[in-house]
Amino acid sequence: MGILSEIDMMNRDAEDDAFEVSSDSETVDSFSEEFEPVEPPKQEPQAEDAEEARKKAEFDAAEAKRKAEWEAKQAHKKLREQQELDRLAAMSDDDVMQASMNRVSQDTERLTRRNMKLCVMEDVQTEW
């Protein structure tokens, strides 16, 4: 036998000794008294309901606040869009044409830069 087998056998013998039942009833009673399950103190149903109502009220208040903030952001976004449309409507045809050309130029530049970055990154990755 190997040393590990002998150690395993000794451990099994020790476990068997630990679980032997003695005829002494005091030993069994003292063991069960020592390890009785402890139940957490129960709250009164009214206290639980009050706590639940308080948490629900806090959640509802926070939800109402988030909704108000979201609606304010949406109203601000709509106002900006309307202002931009009013500004465009007030422009002459030449000004609209110039603004459109500038916008197309900026968007093209942005796309070109982005594509160039992607190409450079791909090239660098293939080189390494």
Side-chain angles (χ1 to χ4, degrees), residues 76-91 96 99-100 103:
H76 184 63
K77 184 191 293 185
K78 200 169 202 176
L79 178 66
R80 281 188 311 198
E81 287 178 3
Q82 187 59 44
Q83 288 174 345
E84 184 67 21
L85 289 174
D86 292 342
R87 186 182 66 80
L88 290 174
M91 290 178 148
V96 170
S100 296
R103 171 102 188 250

Side-chain angles (χ1 to χ4, degrees), residues 50-125:
E51 180 71 17
E52 190 173 311
R54 183 188 62 79
K55 287 181 180 179
K56 185 175 181 346
E58 286 177 0
F59 176 79
D60 290 343
E63 191 66 26
K65 183 180 177 184
R66 282 190 291 271
K67 185 177 179 183
E69 289 174 355
W70 182 81
E71 287 176 350
K73 285 180 183 178
Q74 293 300 317
H76 184 63
K77 184 191 293 185
K78 200 169 202 176
L79 178 66
R80 281 188 311 198
E81 287 178 3
Q82 187 59 44
Q83 288 174 345
E84 184 67 21
L85 289 174
D86 292 342
R87 186 182 66 80
L88 290 174
M91 290 178 148
S92 67
D93 288 342
D94 291 337
D95 291 338
V96 170
M97 185 66 99
Q98 186 63 35
S100 296
M101 287 177 23
N102 286 340
R103 171 102 188 250
V104 168
S105 175
Q106 290 172 354
D107 289 346
T108 304
E109 180 67 27
R110 187 177 314 126
L111 287 173
T112 304
R113 258 188 266 129
R114 184 177 301 149
N115 288 338
M116 184 61 90
K117 287 178 186 177
L118 291 174
C119 291
V120 169
M121 285 188 328
E122 185 178 316
D123 187 50
V124 168
Q125 288 174 353

Side-chain angles (χ1 to χ4, degrees), residues 5-69:
S5 299
E6 291 176 17
I7 291 173
D8 189 39
M9 289 179 64
M10 289 189 313
N11 285 340
R12 287 185 186 170
D13 290 339
E15 288 175 3
D16 291 341
D17 292 341
F19 290 112
E20 283 185 15
V21 178
S22 66
S23 62
D24 188 12
S25 64
E26 288 180 18
T27 307
V28 173
D29 290 340
S30 66
F31 180 77
S32 62
E33 288 174 4
E34 185 177 343
F35 294 105
E36 286 185 21
V38 178
E39 295 181 17
K42 293 184 177 179
Q43 295 180 346
E44 297 177 20
Q46 294 173 347
E48 289 177 1
D49 291 342
E51 180 71 17
E52 190 173 311
R54 183 188 62 79
K55 287 181 180 179
K56 185 175 181 346
E58 286 177 0
F59 176 79
D60 290 343
E63 191 66 26
K65 183 180 177 184
R66 282 190 291 271
K67 185 177 179 183
E69 289 174 355

